[in-house]
Amino acid sequence: MKPITLRGKLYLIPTTLGEMNPHDVLPQTVKRAIDFIDDYIVENEKTARKFIKSIHPEKVQDSLRILLLNKRTDSADFKSMIAPCLNGLNIGLMSEAGCPGVADPGAVIVKIAHENGIQVIPLVGPSSILLAMMGSGMNGQSFAFNGYLPIDKGDKKTALKNFENLSNSKNQSQIFIETPYRNNKLLEDLLSILQPNTHLCIATDITLPTEYIKTLRVSEWKKIKVDLHNRPTIFIIHKM
């Protein structure tokens, strides 16, 4: 009779949102998980190894088996990435920053894990989306994360007007992000497209020493100069 192989578990391991001491924002459960996990699925091997070393210096780097999951990963390889779990080993899934599976390619691995009866264990860590929402003063009872806005100027204007109308009709805060080097241009677009009385929250460098979170009406933002270039930023709007 063939022995039954117990399946491993998929641990969703949060990382920091930037260069900082991980122990300031991550609980001991993350260190304990890294202690017994040698198989990882990550976006970038170099930064993943650096993070593991920062939170658990005693971890032997040569023991790590790392698979890459990013925009260049072939979708045909997704299912094979959970093979260690099917063979009884635990896997750690990491985002490049923050919580895996949220605004992150790791969601597809979590889906496959569920389809194969693998237990998924999310660990506590910083989410820039939730932290920005918490600090915005907007409607925490109803909000939507919309990812990236369209690049085309006309499509972007349409999307922003739709979000503004949604926030007004549903009393729902609308959250979105931009590639950091285009943040300043997006802010210009927001101030020119949105109505003056619409509230806008800018939350940048969350949890870092340079953290900046501020909510004002669009008309008030026009009087302020803020440089968001290459700084990870969450934008939230709400027309009340």
Side-chain angles (χ1 to χ4, degrees), residues 124-167:
V124 174
S127 164
S128 59
I129 299 169
L130 287 179
L131 291 171
M133 191 65 234
M134 289 165 59
S136 71
M138 296 185 187
N139 189 1
Q141 298 292 335
S142 180
F143 55 89
F145 176 65
N146 300 285
Y148 292 91
L149 295 177
I151 295 177
D152 178 81
K153 187 174 182 179
D155 292 341
K156 183 189 295 182
K157 182 175 181 178
T158 299
L160 284 172
K161 284 296 185 182
N162 286 339
F163 292 148
E164 191 174 44
N165 291 332
L166 271 174
S167 70

Side-chain angles (χ1 to χ4, degrees), residues 35-53:
D35 182 43
F36 64 77
I37 296 175
D38 290 326
D39 291 87
Y40 293 89
I41 300 172
V42 307
E43 286 189 75
N44 181 292
E45 180 172 359
K46 182 178 179 181
T47 55
R49 287 183 178 276
K50 182 179 179 180
F51 169 74
I52 291 172
K53 186 173 183 179

Side-chain angles (χ1 to χ4, degrees), residues 147-217:
Y148 292 91
L149 295 177
I151 295 177
D152 178 81
K153 187 174 182 179
D155 292 341
K156 183 189 295 182
K157 182 175 181 178
T158 299
L160 284 172
K161 284 296 185 182
N162 286 339
F163 292 148
E164 191 174 44
N165 291 332
L166 271 174
S167 70
N168 185 41
S169 62
K170 293 188 175 183
N171 189 27
Q172 183 181 72
S173 301
Q174 302 294 319
I175 310 171
F176 46 89
I177 55 177
E178 180 56 283
T179 305
Y181 73 84
R182 288 202 289 256
N183 280 338
N184 284 339
K185 180 62 173 68
L186 175 58
L187 180 56
E188 289 179 15
D189 292 338
L190 292 173
L191 299 186
S192 66
I193 294 171
L194 299 177
Q195 295 187 18
N197 64 337
T198 294
H199 286 80
L200 167 65
C201 175
I202 296 174
T204 191
D205 289 347
I206 296 176
T207 73
L208 304 181
T210 52
E211 179 179 88
Y212 179 88
I213 302 175
K214 198 172 190 68
T215 298
L216 295 170
R217 296 179 188 274

